[in-house]
Amino acid sequence: MEGLFITVEGPDGAGKTSVINELIPRLKKIATKNIVTTREPGGSPIAEKIRGLVLDKKNTDMDQRTEALLYAASRRQHLVEIIEPALVSGTTVVCDRFVDSSLAYQGAGRKIGMKEVAQLNLFATNGRTPDLTLYLDVDAETGLSRIQNHRSMEVNRLDVESLEFHQRVRHGYIQLLEQYPQRIKKIDAKADLDHVVEDCLQVIQKYVGDKL
Ligand code: TMP
């Protein structure tokens, strides 16, 4: 049987990386199948090179559609090299960001349009969709202040965008949540880390616990 495909999404400063770092060891304790974690943009050597390009703060002239295409290209390579083989072998894949990020950031944040970006990504993914998406919700002000206050967090080309941009991104996520209530589950990411991790575990157990 194919492995489970779980994605973790959220605006910048939602704390995805810390949550995933805490979540995975706990998930491994209760899972019967292997689990791999990976991330986007990146996750494979070629895709990581595209990550470097697309997040480089020096690339101030990058066109918005170029940006959307680069995320989709990185995703395609990562999917073919890492995600699909793992799922086919029955491994559970936990991926830090996937198509929803492009819909929220490029579709809503950059105002390209969520439908347009969805079409572009359909070509990249051939329709591969996560079984479950944990959406870590945080308002744009809190997210941005977390990034500014934690120097250890990587500050990239999108982090330095305006508050309005990040508000549009969050709004995009909320729209997706309303559109796909079966797949996307909202977690309050303003709570402390232990709480957020606990909520994520409960959601996973409730919705896909039997397939772990
Ligand atoms: P990260 O900070 O979670 O590693 O993500 C890197 C940045 O890339 C983050 O600001 C969100 C952005 N991003 C997009 O704009 N579109 C995408 O499709 C993906 C995967 C990430």
Side-chain angles (χ1 to χ4, degrees), residues 12 16 41 51 55 71 75 97 101-102 105-106 156 158:
D12 291 284
K16 285 180 297 87
R51 178 186 177 98
L55 294 181
Y71 279 115
R75 178 160 301 127
R97 299 194 181 282
S101 282
S102 283
Y105 281 81
Q106 282 64 54
N156 65 50
L158 284 94

Side-chain angles (χ1 to χ4, degrees), residues 9-13 16-17 39-42 51 54-55 67-68 71-72 74-75 96-106 110 121 154 156-159 165-166 173:
E9 292 280 354
D12 291 284
K16 285 180 297 87
T17 311
R39 70 162 181 185
E40 289 205 349
R51 178 186 177 98
V54 79
L55 294 181
E67 178 183 285
Y71 279 115
S74 159
R75 178 160 301 127
D96 184 342
R97 299 194 181 282
F98 195 60
V99 174
D100 296 319
S101 282
S102 283
L103 302 180
Y105 281 81
Q106 282 64 54
R110 297 288 193 215
N121 276 276
E154 177 193 48
N156 65 50
R157 204 168 55 80
L158 284 94
D159 294 332
F165 171 83
H166 290 280
Y173 274 123

